[in-house]
Amino acid sequence: TYYYRVSAINAVGETLASTEFSHTLGATGGIKMTWAAVPGSTGYKIYGRATGAELLLDTTAVVLEYTDDGSLTPAGALPTENDTSGITVNWGAVSGATGYRIYGRDDGNLSRIVEVAGQATIEWTDDYTLSPDAINIPPEIDTTSLEGQITTNITLPAADITAIKTQTDKIQFDVSNNVATTRAYPEGAVVADGGNSDIEFKTDRTETDDDYWIGSYVKFTSGAQDGQVKKVSGYNGTTKVITFYSSLTGTPNTGDTFKIINE
């Protein structure tokens, strides 16, 4: 007689194992077991064969059956707690950022949960060990450039989780020292050119000085790149081509509009 338990796993952790079940072989052979799917799981772990002391036999993908043919030696203790609860939030790195603040929990009334340091830190898991403080998202925050980059991994069990969205502080610009133009946010449009790409494009701007817009930020206001913000690394006063430090998600189309945010 052999005994088995099955647990479900996801990106965060593992559930407790199922109730022990057993099967008695009448002759040499294998034991095939089946189970019902666990919503949100990414695989399962099989434990067996001694009653009350099952050890890890194997880890499977998202399947609903497994056959123990006796070829594997069990090793690894049963889980002692369900550590699958939590939400992993991912976002794209923001140029110039020194860290990120995570807001969440109550839809429509998000409060700060944690602040993480480092521009390259682009993932954080909420395991409910921290309590949000009284600091809400500043009303002037602009997260347009991040909306399409945020992904969430809703893990099981998640009965009390309905939605989550992070917001990120955007560097605020002081337009009082604007020396490039008398307007805080001059506008422009993409001009057709064979050299247009995801990192540079020709504009309808009329400035003739090279590097006139270097160090400024271009925010697209229409087209497929709408909402994306990139820092200008160069401007050619003759060709009117703007170049970025980092690439857009695609090549802007002729006629797409933008604003220039400059200090």
Side-chain angles (χ1 to χ4, degrees), residues 189-196 201-204 239 241 252-256:
V190 177
V191 174
D193 188 82
N196 287 350
F201 66 95
K202 186 173 183 179
T203 77
D204 62 354
T239 63
V241 170
N253 293 320
T254 301
D256 286 355

Side-chain angles (χ1 to χ4, degrees), residues 14 45 47 54-56 75-80:
E14 179 182 6
K45 289 191 174 184
Y47 296 84
E54 293 90 346
L55 297 178
L56 179 64
L78 286 163
T80 58

Side-chain angles (χ1 to χ4, degrees), residues 148-197:
Q149 302 180 39
I150 298 173
T151 59
T152 60
N153 298 319
I154 306 300
T155 60
L156 74 154
D160 61 337
I161 300 169
T162 57
I164 188 168
K165 180 172 73 173
T166 62
Q167 307 258 359
T168 303
D169 283 338
K170 178 179 174 176
I171 300 170
Q172 300 298 313
F173 297 97
D174 178 8
V175 298
S176 63
N177 64 342
N178 180 7
V179 295
T181 176
T182 57
R183 297 182 64 192
Y185 303 102
E187 300 175 347
V190 177
V191 174
D193 188 82
N196 287 350
S197 69

Side-chain angles (χ1 to χ4, degrees), residues 100-123:
Y100 306 91
R101 291 175 181 166
I102 314 299
Y103 296 82
R105 299 279 173 82
D106 295 330
D107 191 17
N109 185 30
L110 307 182
S111 297
R112 186 178 65 181
I113 302 175
V114 71
E115 183 168 333
V116 296
Q119 179 188 3
T121 304
I122 56 173
E123 181 176 292

